[in-house]
Amino acid sequence: TVFMDEMHLCVFKIDKLHSQVKIEFFPAEAAGNNGIAPVRTGGKMLKAALDDLLSRFDATVGIECKMLSLGPSSKLSAISPPIISESVGSESFLDWYRTALIDEMGAVELRDGSLVEERDLSWFGLWGETQYLKHIIDAEAFCARCLEYMEDETMTEIASIVHLQVHRDPFRLEMW
């Protein structure tokens, strides 16, 4: 079954195989690729993540969600207005971010320079008790990627990837 309106297109599929029932719900663009496709979002969850990130240093700005990207893409992102901070700037942000992941979030640095974080989600009640994340910071590209593996402690099946782009002149953050 395909549901469509002016803003959304998704597939809801129910398969009955022998005595088992399998229910799937995914964006329609994923239908042709085993249910895996890039889906770009810039909604309220990413706005909340950026708000939290900015609250950790002395920047108080309002994040806008569902904004057109500042980069070459015309897709949606959560974006900060220009950030003025005495402690963190566009050139030092990724170093600050790495330190915050280690010191505040308990991330552990791997040999390749990436950081692994385990988050306790037992309070949330939807997924397993622990979520596994891998943060890859690319200083040359002024960006970081967070690969979310949900409860897969082997970190072999990526559930989603969140991108964090640092913009300079003026200093702004963009997340999708």
Side-chain angles (χ1 to χ4, degrees):
T1 305
V2 176
F3 297 96
M4 181 172 58
D5 63 24
E6 292 175 8
M7 298 297 292
H8 304 89
L9 177 63
C10 59
V11 175
F12 180 71
K13 179 178 165 186
I14 300 175
D15 290 330
K16 184 172 186 223
L17 304 170
H18 308 291
S19 63
Q20 295 180 335
V21 175
K22 179 180 177 184
I23 298 174
E24 296 180 34
F25 181 75
F26 48 87
E29 63 187 85
N33 192 21
N34 296 325
I36 300 170
V39 177
R40 175 111 175 215
T41 182
K44 291 181 180 180
M45 288 184 70
L46 293 178
K47 177 190 181 315
L50 270 181
D51 282 336
D52 178 64
L53 187 61
L54 289 170
S55 73
R56 295 174 186 268
F57 62 96
D58 62 347
T60 54
V61 295
I63 302 299
E64 298 290 331
C65 61
K66 297 184 180 178
M67 301 288 293
L68 291 180
S69 173
L70 297 174
S73 170
S74 62
K75 302 210 176 183
L76 299 178
S77 299
I79 302 173
S80 77
I83 300 167
I84 299 171
S85 167
E86 293 185 22
S87 61
V88 179
S90 60
E91 300 293 327
S92 63
F93 176 79
L94 290 175
D95 289 332
W96 174 88
Y97 183 64
R98 174 184 298 280
T99 301
L101 286 170
I102 293 168
D103 294 349
E104 296 179 31
M105 305 302 287
V108 176
E109 190 165 2
L110 301 180
R111 288 183 192 156
D112 65 1
S114 64
L115 300 155
V116 172
E117 176 190 354
E118 293 182 19
R119 288 187 187 162
D120 177 13
L121 294 181
S122 58
W123 59 272
F124 200 62
L126 288 179
W127 298 289
E129 290 189 11
T130 303
Q131 177 186 23
Y132 298 89
L133 304 102
K134 185 177 202 177
H135 301 271
I136 300 169
I137 297 173
D138 183 345
E140 290 180 19
F142 282 87
C143 71
R145 291 182 311 281
C146 176
L147 288 66
E148 298 177 329
Y149 295 93
M150 303 312 288
E151 66 273 358
D152 176 15
E153 65 183 294
T154 64
M155 296 175 43
T156 54
E157 293 186 37
I158 298 172
S160 67
I161 302 174
V162 176
H163 299 265
L164 173 62
Q165 183 69 51
V166 179
H167 295 279
R168 300 175 287 175
D169 199 23
F171 173 30
R172 296 175 80 175
L173 297 176
E174 177 177 3
M175 189 177 277
W176 69 90

